[in-house]
Amino acid sequence: MKSTSRDIRLRNCFAVLRHLIADAPTSRQILARATDLSVATVSNLVTDLIELGVVMEVGREDSGGGRPRALLAPNVGGGVMIGVDVAETYVHLEAYDLALTVVDRVEERMEISENSPEQVIGHIASALDRVRERLGDRAVLGLGVSLPGQVDVTWGVSGFAPNWNWHDVPFRQMLADRLDLDVPIYLDNPLKTITVGELWFGDGRGVERFAVLILGTGVGAGLAFSGELYRGATNSAGEWGHTTINPAGPQCRCGAKGCIEAYVGAPAILWQWAQFDGRAGAVSQTEAMAALAAAWRAGEPAAVRTVETVAEYLAAGVSNLVNLVNPDLVVFDGWVTGVLGDALIPEVERRLPAHAMEAPLKAVRLKRNQQERNMVSLGAAALALEGHLSRLNTVGSRTRR
């Protein structure tokens, strides 16, 4: 689809603000060099960002003989963005200033049985009330919420959340009706929010072609090109976990056979360990994965064979992605990466040349996510910030009358 002038303007605005967040305080001239935009374009965008209350001038620096240059920074004393990470056992809410720095956070535990939309919304409302009480008179500019499963971002609907058996839940409207808060609400799923978080404050910033591989109970790939999240026609882009590597393989939870998720998702990894006589005991999935990692570190044969087997399948899946997308960077993320990444990722790298084509393999870097932040909440807040910045067209037309 052809980009409109508004699309181009927003992309440029995101680029300017990302560099400003990373390098503040800085000047219009430095921002122009960093973004490959003209000083005039950057100046217009900065004028609108100041009008919108997102950026402010914080001083001046010597320009080497000419007029002193104004220094710019995010308006950290202004309004806040809220990012919410909704999982099956918790609601984690963070408030961010306009430099995407956490100013407050709340987490509420949820019982597995608390899986109705009303119960989840109740926890979000409770957490938000606690944060707003501490924020005082600081305005909430936007609310981003990450929900598990498939999400229709246009209509704000949870299309399908398999573990909760949700189908076509009008979540955004239900949440808006519950909250005493007149702000825009943005929904998406963790795969997309993590990718947006990486674009704003992680490894994806400034990378032209970028993929995030999420390894967890399920697996998926977040994709971003030219600094923008790639959603596809129906917000379904990135279902890499449901690409087939063996048509005669095991049944996947999506209904197909031989999906990559059926080989490298957490249940599949633990099943493989059991086939090699690994013994995790009657514990949770996360505890069992930690036991597998400990057994691998101890050199137990069953654990070593499990890692090698899973790495072979994962290398095949990663190679398919590398051959198809030709990314500059692939970042591994997700809770399985956090627990088992030290074992898996080196084995995957060692096996990639047997599967990937030479040219795209030479161009790509593989990296494990090292962020200590909650990238789901951050990405949800960044989605709300992007929505707030979409007002630039209105602001820009007003300021230049």
Side-chain angles (χ1 to χ4, degrees), residues 301-345:
V304 172
R305 288 181 65 193
T306 298
V307 168
E308 291 175 346
T309 301
V310 172
E312 185 64 34
Y313 291 126
L314 186 54
V318 173
S319 296
N320 288 342
L321 182 72
V322 168
N323 290 343
L324 182 65
V325 177
N326 194 192
D328 303 288
L329 176 66
V330 174
V331 174
F332 289 83
D333 207 335
W335 73 265
V336 169
T337 297
V339 176
L340 202 60
D342 288 343
L344 271 178
I345 295 174

Side-chain angles (χ1 to χ4, degrees), residues 133-380:
E133 185 176 343
R134 295 196 289 260
L135 286 175
D137 60 357
R138 294 186 71 172
V140 175
L141 304 177
L143 171 64
V145 180
S146 172
L147 292 174
Q150 298 172 5
V151 176
D152 184 324
V153 298
T154 302
W155 297 102
V157 171
S158 171
F160 179 46
N163 292 337
W164 288 337
N165 198 30
W166 289 8
H167 296 269
D168 298 324
V169 174
F171 194 88
R172 183 171 62 197
Q173 187 60 55
M174 292 175 68
L175 181 60
D177 290 342
R178 174 66 185 272
L179 298 181
D180 178 25
L181 190 65
D182 184 23
V183 298
I185 299 172
Y186 304 88
L187 299 187
D188 220 316
N189 63 28
L191 182 61
K192 302 297 194 301
T193 55
I194 287 174
T195 306
V196 172
E198 291 283 358
L199 284 171
W200 276 94
F201 217 93
D203 296 304
R205 187 167 50 199
V207 177
E208 188 70 16
R209 294 156 292 265
F210 173 60
V212 183
L213 296 189
I214 311 297
L215 304 182
T217 303
V219 302
L223 302 173
F225 305 112
S226 301
E228 284 191 293
L229 176 68
Y230 179 71
R231 296 185 177 279
T234 60
N235 201 39
S236 300
E239 291 292 350
W240 164 75
H242 299 295
T243 56
T244 302
I245 58 173
N246 179 9
Q251 188 91 20
C252 180
R253 62 176 178 166
C254 73
K257 288 186 175 181
C259 296
I260 183 67
E261 183 177 296
Y263 289 97
V264 304
I269 295 173
L270 296 175
W271 179 88
Q272 188 67 70
W273 189 28
Q275 304 314 296
F276 291 142
D277 294 324
R279 296 287 182 265
V283 294
S284 70
Q285 186 174 255
T286 52
E287 291 170 325
M289 195 65 68
L292 171 58
W296 172 81
R297 287 191 294 270
E300 293 183 14
V304 172
R305 288 181 65 193
T306 298
V307 168
E308 291 175 346
T309 301
V310 172
E312 185 64 34
Y313 291 126
L314 186 54
V318 173
S319 296
N320 288 342
L321 182 72
V322 168
N323 290 343
L324 182 65
V325 177
N326 194 192
D328 303 288
L329 176 66
V330 174
V331 174
F332 289 83
D333 207 335
W335 73 265
V336 169
T337 297
V339 176
L340 202 60
D342 288 343
L344 271 178
I345 295 174
E347 291 293 332
V348 170
E349 289 183 301
R350 190 164 65 84
R351 288 166 167 77
L352 279 180
H355 300 283
M357 296 176 65
E358 184 177 1
L361 183 59
K362 282 184 176 179
V364 72
R365 291 185 296 121
L366 269 60
K367 183 176 181 180
R368 177 179 174 177
N369 174 50
Q370 301 295 332
Q371 292 279 344
E372 295 182 356
R373 310 179 64 163
N374 184 311
M375 297 303 286
V376 179
S377 293
L378 175 63

